[in-house]
């Protein structure tokens, strides 16, 4: 399964819990309760954190640390994409973008599956985007194309053979939606 | 200087709120039309150029016309009310109103008439590449002027707020302290510099200056720091576009497009633009919650001293998060990318503690009788939780490869934060302020209907867009060759948008049922002030 779909399931599970919690909170806070003594009055005297606040802060800090470790480590399925940047490319493909057109070295660009491929994209005029899409519309990867003097570079390993489309992923004027090249890349099975 | 009495402040606030609601209606109508156009409906009604110009105007009208003007209206009334002081400058208060109104209308009419469409991102050199894209040079001039006027209005408002909070009144003592006094007081208080100094000097039992102000006012001036910096950057871009256009109208004076480095520009732009998210969307919201919830429940805010520190921490975090917008820019140094990712998690702490303080205040006030403002605050917490979590997910160097610039970013993160998070907070403020400003309360049943339609509509729209985003649907673009697998999601997003529209109409009916439209118009167009 594509990593974005895994992330989507995890995300929706968490927000279902959040929404459920707020609904329960709304119901519970209307019922009963003893209108307890205002804890902030005591706090004024000691100028410190309440016990509940401390616990909550520790919980948030724990999430922060775990979250960052997860996000920066190779455990997360998508993290491998960042690590691929360190790989030595077996093939380099240079694409120029000019006047709303992708100028490809060949069509389709033939690349082998399972090996690091470097894409270098340069723009002669505007800021564009460079995205590679599966035939069912799912994004495989993308990057911004900052115009010259900058060179935009990404290394990718295609895992599945087949045809892929190229589309500009950044708005660059009303002609932008036509920057679409179907079957621009053909990944040869490894 | 002539004093601005409470009645005049009320009228000024009502004017701001009425205009902001008109802009919300306009932004909403644009949003709805764009939703239909994305579905490739109404293609004869407006062409692609019109669509992108609408997409350019939409965030300016929605953010500056609605959110900023509503905030200004509320703060022009609330800050003097809480501090029991007058607004520092009456002239500046009116100037900010007119600058915002004229500036927003200039941006809107320019894009509408000329179809100038650089989008709110204004990525260099797109706004100035008129020879390649085919825009009229005059449209760059008027758009640049409009943006400059809006941000000029924002700066005048914040200068007036800072002076109102930190300065003694000019008309009471006749003195006019130097602006440096205000800046020094602001920086000292906003960053707790006096407390740091006291710690270094080992002064015992020193209480920071920020503790002299109610927590709502602390949130106001700290949020104003972010939004002032934002105004300098975005206003600066407006000025840059104006100068560029003028230079191209004078023979031999044309500034070349290459005079600006596109990557450095993008960094500065996002540094400034993201400060809106923190200043206006998060800190002002936190301030409004801190005011409304304890006031209605008649209790102190839970953990008030910690909350002040949290607001300061968020100010620091907000200065270093802009890089999460540039994770797909591969020429950007990797260290900056990691910094953007790490600081974004900082917002989990600040917003998490803010929500906790509000919820704990409610919890200890059980049994709570939920009036409209409290219900809106509770629902806005849902908006921030749902939108904030999506933000943390996309602000990751690896996952940004497939989330960047998709409908996920603008749907689940952007629109849910703005519509369910920020807008519900602003509505909460309007429901709470309405009796104070008009002497009449709005109908609770209609308010509940407004809340349900708006919240469910906002969530349906945002989540549907997000689901299309994970499947690869991009933002900021039409699909003239067909939507393919994204079509059902865009249909549900349109249903959500329609629910938002009906919710807004219910809100208007509630207002017009409570206050006669003729009375409202009399206030807005009153020649008395």
């Amino acid at each position: 399964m594509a990593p974005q779909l895994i992330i989507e399931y995890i995300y929706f599970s968490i927000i279902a819990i959040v929404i459920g919690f707020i609904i329960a909170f709304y119901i519970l806070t209307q019922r009963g309760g003893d209108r307890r003594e205002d804890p902030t009055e005591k706090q004024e005297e000691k100028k410190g954190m309440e016990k509940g606040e401390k616990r909550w802060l520790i919980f948030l800090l724990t999430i922060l640390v775990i979250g960052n470790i997860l996000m920066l480590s190779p455990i997360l399925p998508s993290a491998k994409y960042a690590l691929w940047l360190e790989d030595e490319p077996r093939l380099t493909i240079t694409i120029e973008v000019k006047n709303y057109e992708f100028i490809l070295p060949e069509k389709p660009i033939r690349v082998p599956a399972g090996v690091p491929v470097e894409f270098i994209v340069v723009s002669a005029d505007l800021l564009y985007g460079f995205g590679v899409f599966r035939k069912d519309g799912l994004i495989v990867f993308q990057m911004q194309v900052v115009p010259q003097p900058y060179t935009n570079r990404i290394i990718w390993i295609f895992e599945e053979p087949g045809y892929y489309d190229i589309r500009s992923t950044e708005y660059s004027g009303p002609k932008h939606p036509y920057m679409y090249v179907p079957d621009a890349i053909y990944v040869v099975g490894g | 200087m002539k004093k601005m009495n409470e009645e005049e402040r009320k009228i000024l606030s009502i004017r701001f709120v009425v205009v902001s609601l008109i802009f919300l209606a306009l932004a909403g109508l644009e949003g709805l039309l764009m939703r239909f156009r994305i579905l490739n409906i109404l293609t004869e009604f407006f062409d692609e150029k019109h669509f992108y110009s609408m997409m350019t105007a939409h965030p300016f009208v929605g953010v500056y016309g609605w959110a900023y003007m509503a905030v200004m209206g509320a703060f022009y009334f609330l800050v003097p009310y809480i501090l029991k002081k007058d607004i520092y400058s009456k002239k500046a208060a009116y100037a900010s109103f007119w600058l915002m109104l004229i500036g927003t209308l200039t941006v809107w009419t320019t894009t509408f008439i000329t179809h100038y469409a650089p989008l709110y991102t204004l990525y260099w050199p797109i706004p100035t590449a008129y020879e390649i894209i085919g825009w009229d040079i005059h449209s760059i001039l008027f758009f640049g002027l409009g943006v400059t006027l809006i941000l000029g209005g924002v700066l005048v408002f914040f200068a007036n707020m800072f002076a109102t909070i930190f300065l003694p009144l000019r008309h009471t003592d006749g003195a006019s302290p130097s602006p440096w006094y205000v800046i020094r007081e602001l920086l000292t208080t906003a960053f707790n510099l006096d407390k740091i100094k006291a710690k270094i000097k080992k002064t015992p039992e020193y209480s920071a200056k920020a503790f002299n102000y109610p927590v709502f006012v602390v949130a106001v001036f700290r949020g104003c720091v972010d939004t002032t910096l934002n105004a300098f950057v975005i206003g600066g871009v407006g000025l840059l576009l104006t100068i560029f256009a003028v230079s191209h109208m004078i023979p031999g004076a044309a500034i070349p497009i290459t005079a600006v480095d596109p990557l450095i520009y993008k960094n500065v732009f996002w540094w400034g633009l993201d400060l809106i998210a923190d200043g206006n969307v998060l800190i002002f919201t936190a301030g409004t919650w801190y005011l409304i919830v304890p006031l209605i429940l008649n209790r102190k805010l839970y953990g008030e001293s910690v909350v002040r520190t949290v607001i300061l921490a968020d100010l620091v975090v907000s200065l270093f998060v802009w890089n999460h917008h540039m994770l797909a820019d591969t020429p950007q140094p990797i260290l900056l990318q990691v910094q953007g990712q790490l600081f974004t998690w900082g917002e989990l702490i600040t917003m998490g503690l803010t929500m906790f303080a509000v919820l704990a205040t409610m919890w200890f006030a059980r049994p709570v009788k939920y009036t409209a403002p409290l219900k809106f605050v509770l629902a806005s917490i849902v908006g921030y939780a749902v939108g904030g979590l999506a933000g943390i997910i996309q602000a990751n160097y690896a996952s940004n490869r497939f989330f960047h610039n998709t409908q996920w970013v603008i749907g689940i993160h952007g629109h849910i934060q703005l519509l369910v998070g920020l807008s519900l907070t602003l509505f909460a403020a309007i429901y709470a302020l309405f009796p104070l400003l008009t002497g009449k309360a709005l109908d609770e049943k209609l308010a509940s209907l407004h809340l349900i339609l708006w919240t469910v509509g906002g969530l349906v729209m945002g989540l549907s867009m997000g689901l299309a985003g994970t499947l690869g649907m991009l933002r900021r673009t039409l699909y003239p060759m067909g939507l393919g697998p994204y079509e059902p999601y865009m249909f549900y997003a349109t249903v959500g948008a329609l629910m938002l529209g009906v919710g807004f109409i219910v809100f208007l009916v509630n207002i017009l049922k409570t206050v006669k439209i003729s009375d409202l118009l009399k206030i807005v167009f009153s020649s008395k002030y």
Side-chain angles (χ1 to χ4, degrees):
Chain A
M1 189 188 278
Q4 56 262 56
L5 299 177
I6 299 170
I7 291 171
E8 186 183 271
Y9 287 131
I10 297 168
Y11 170 79
F12 274 87
S13 308
I14 295 173
I15 65 158
I17 294 168
V18 169
I19 293 171
F21 168 78
I22 293 290
I23 292 169
F25 182 88
Y26 174 69
I27 295 165
L28 289 173
T29 44
Q30 287 182 86
R31 289 178 188 171
D34 48 3
R35 223 182 154 84
R36 282 193 238 170
E37 189 188 345
D38 188 345
T40 49
E41 279 166 18
K42 279 190 260 169
Q43 186 196 316
E44 286 276 297
E45 291 158 23
K46 62 178 185 180
K47 296 239 170 188
M49 279 183 113
E50 282 297 317
K51 203 183 268 181
E53 262 182 317
K54 270 185 193 164
R55 284 179 187 159
W56 180 241
L57 181 62
I58 291 166
F59 171 74
L60 289 174
L61 283 170
T62 311
I63 298 265
L64 180 137
V65 172
I66 295 171
N68 264 304
I69 290 171
L70 269 174
M71 290 285 200
L72 292 170
S73 74
I75 302 167
L76 209 69
S78 57
K80 61 185 177 187
Y81 306 148
L83 298 172
W84 286 349
L85 288 172
E86 302 303 317
D87 288 359
E88 189 64 35
R90 293 262 298 275
L91 180 69
T92 296
I93 293 152
T94 304
I95 296 169
E96 198 191 341
V97 197
K98 195 179 176 184
N99 198 18
Y100 297 97
E101 225 180 297
F102 288 109
I103 303 162
L104 309 179
E106 58 176 335
K107 192 178 179 257
I109 300 165
R110 293 173 70 88
V111 297
V115 299
V117 179
E118 180 183 40
F119 288 89
I120 293 176
V121 186
V122 284
S123 163
D125 45 28
L126 302 172
L127 189 140
Y128 301 101
F130 175 76
V132 173
F133 292 74
R134 283 188 348 195
K135 292 308 292 178
D136 61 2
L138 210 79
I139 289 189
V140 180
F141 69 90
Q142 62 166 315
M143 66 175 162
Q144 295 273 290
V145 180
V146 186
Q148 284 174 339
Y150 293 98
T151 300
N152 309 278
R153 173 184 173 271
I154 192 165
I155 292 176
W156 202 258
I157 300 172
F158 287 93
E159 288 165 336
E160 287 174 28
Y163 282 96
Y164 291 82
D165 303 337
I166 286 176
R167 191 187 278 279
S168 172
T169 50
E170 184 55 83
Y171 174 82
S172 47
K175 291 179 196 164
H176 149 71
Y178 298 99
M179 293 181 72
Y180 169 59
V181 189
D183 302 329
I185 299 170
Y186 179 61
V187 178
V188 185
Chain B
M1 181 182 285
K2 204 180 164 192
K3 201 173 173 180
M4 197 176 193
N5 61 33
E6 192 172 309
E7 191 199 346
E8 193 175 357
R9 286 201 298 272
K10 279 182 183 175
I11 289 174
L12 180 68
S13 291
I14 291 172
R15 279 183 187 168
F16 263 105
V17 171
V18 168
V19 171
S20 74
L21 288 172
I22 293 169
F23 279 132
L24 174 63
L26 184 60
L29 186 66
E30 285 174 340
L32 201 56
L33 287 172
M34 285 192 288
R35 293 245 66 87
F36 283 118
R37 190 62 181 78
I38 287 169
L39 281 166
N40 290 318
I41 301 169
L42 302 179
T43 48
E44 287 171 11
F45 179 68
F46 61 108
D47 61 14
E48 291 180 355
K49 281 185 182 172
H50 197 159
F51 173 84
Y52 292 109
S53 62
M54 200 178 266
M55 192 174 264
T56 301
H58 178 68
F60 279 96
V61 176
V63 172
Y64 291 108
W66 155 236
Y68 265 77
M69 288 194 82
V71 162
M72 287 175 176
F75 289 2
Y76 268 136
F77 177 74
L78 285 171
V79 171
Y81 183 80
I82 301 281
L83 291 175
K84 296 183 175 55
K85 289 169 88 172
D86 197 3
I87 288 175
Y88 180 71
S89 167
K90 179 177 167 175
K91 277 185 187 168
Y94 282 105
S96 58
F97 174 79
W98 288 109
L99 283 167
M100 293 297 292
L101 178 61
I102 296 167
T104 309
L105 285 176
T106 306
V107 166
W108 187 81
T109 45
T110 303
T111 53
F112 184 77
I113 295 168
T114 68
H115 291 175
Y116 179 60
L119 298 199
Y120 78 95
T121 42
L122 300 168
Y123 287 155
W124 199 270
I126 294 162
T128 52
Y130 67 99
E131 283 164 332
I132 301 168
I133 304 173
W135 288 319
D136 187 329
I137 188 74
H138 297 93
S139 62
I140 304 175
L141 174 69
F142 285 110
F143 184 86
L145 276 173
V147 173
T148 310
L149 286 176
I150 293 172
L151 279 309
V154 171
L155 284 174
V156 170
F157 167 77
F158 292 134
N160 209 5
M161 270 299 121
F162 292 144
T164 302
I165 295 167
F166 296 112
L167 277 184
L169 290 175
R170 275 197 294 189
H171 55 77
T172 52
D173 63 2
S176 184
S178 116
W180 294 113
Y181 172 82
V182 180
I183 293 169
R184 203 180 59 231
E185 282 295 293
L186 169 68
L187 293 176
T188 304
T189 320
F191 290 96
N192 278 8
L193 298 180
D194 57 324
K195 179 80 179 173
I196 296 167
K197 204 171 154 187
K199 277 206 169 171
I200 293 166
K201 285 187 172 175
K202 293 181 180 164
T203 312
E205 297 290 317
Y206 182 84
S207 180
K209 275 189 175 183
F211 278 80
N212 298 338
Y213 297 94
V215 68
F216 164 70
V217 176
V218 175
V220 170
F221 68 72
R222 281 179 178 166
C224 285
V225 175
D226 276 350
T227 33
T228 300
L229 293 173
N230 160 269
F232 277 117
V233 173
I234 309 301
V237 171
L239 205 56
L240 180 66
L241 295 183
T242 309
I243 294 167
F244 178 89
V246 170
S247 83
H248 280 248
M249 289 171 183
I250 302 166
I255 298 170
I257 284 175
T258 49
V260 175
D261 183 290
L263 190 64
I264 294 172
Y265 169 94
K266 203 174 175 187
N267 272 281
V268 175
F269 182 85
W270 273 120
W271 179 77
L273 193 63
D274 196 76
L275 289 166
I276 291 187
D278 289 279
N280 195 329
V281 181
L282 299 184
I283 301 189
F284 286 164
T285 292
T288 310
W289 291 349
Y290 298 156
L291 180 71
I292 290 175
V293 174
L295 205 69
I296 291 174
L297 297 175
N298 196 24
R299 293 178 71 86
K300 277 184 184 167
L301 181 72
Y302 182 85
E304 199 179 294
S305 65
V306 176
V307 156
R308 289 165 191 273
T309 314
V310 167
I311 300 172
L312 168 67
D314 198 72
L315 179 58
V316 177
V317 166
S318 68
L319 296 174
F320 297 98
V321 295
W322 85 95
N323 255 292
H324 61 210
H325 294 280
M326 298 187 65
L327 294 173
D329 291 83
T330 60
Q332 185 83 335
I334 188 79
L335 272 178
L336 285 179
Q337 310 277 34
V338 175
Q339 172 214 303
Q341 184 177 316
L342 290 177
F343 273 85
T344 305
W345 280 83
E347 292 187 339
L348 174 87
I349 302 287
T350 55
M351 212 51 199
L353 278 173
T354 302
M355 289 174 185
F356 183 74
V358 173
L359 292 175
T361 307
M362 287 182 176
W363 182 256
F364 287 116
R366 282 170 298 145
V368 176
K369 188 176 180 297
Y370 278 95
T371 52
L374 273 186
K375 287 181 196 166
F376 275 75
V377 165
L378 199 59
S380 74
I381 289 176
V382 173
Y384 280 109
V386 172
L389 180 62
I392 287 173
I393 289 171
Q394 79 212 21
N396 172 258
Y397 186 64
S399 66
N400 202 261
R401 287 280 166 267
F402 38 75
F403 281 127
H404 190 85
N405 253 355
T406 60
Q407 293 278 331
W408 170 282
V409 177
I410 195 59
I412 290 191
H413 178 59
H415 275 85
I416 289 186
Q417 292 251 100
L418 289 171
L419 292 172
V420 187
L422 176 67
S423 294
L424 287 185
T425 304
L426 293 174
F427 283 127
I430 292 173
Y431 279 107
L433 277 176
F434 203 85
L436 287 173
L437 293 173
T438 65
K440 293 170 183 173
L442 290 162
D443 183 274
E444 284 284 335
K445 279 184 183 164
L446 284 176
S448 295
L449 185 60
H450 170 208
L451 176 68
I452 291 166
L453 285 165
W454 190 276
T455 309
V456 176
L459 288 173
V460 167
M461 187 180 90
L463 294 175
S464 303
M465 289 164 79
L467 286 166
T470 42
L471 291 180
M473 184 176 175
L474 298 172
R475 65 189 288 202
R476 302 176 188 153
T477 189
L478 285 169
Y479 282 81
M481 282 85 94
L483 280 166
Y486 318 131
E487 191 164 352
Y489 300 99
M490 289 301 101
F491 171 77
Y492 292 119
T494 309
V495 172
L498 285 167
M499 284 178 78
L500 282 163
V502 177
F504 184 68
I505 291 168
V506 170
F507 171 67
L508 291 183
V509 168
N510 199 355
I511 287 184
L512 297 177
K513 205 178 138 224
T514 315
V515 183
K516 281 183 188 167
I517 192 159
S518 54
D519 291 346
L520 208 57
L521 291 174
K522 258 185 219 164
I523 293 170
V524 175
F525 296 107
S526 165
S527 56
K528 196 175 165 188
Y529 299 111

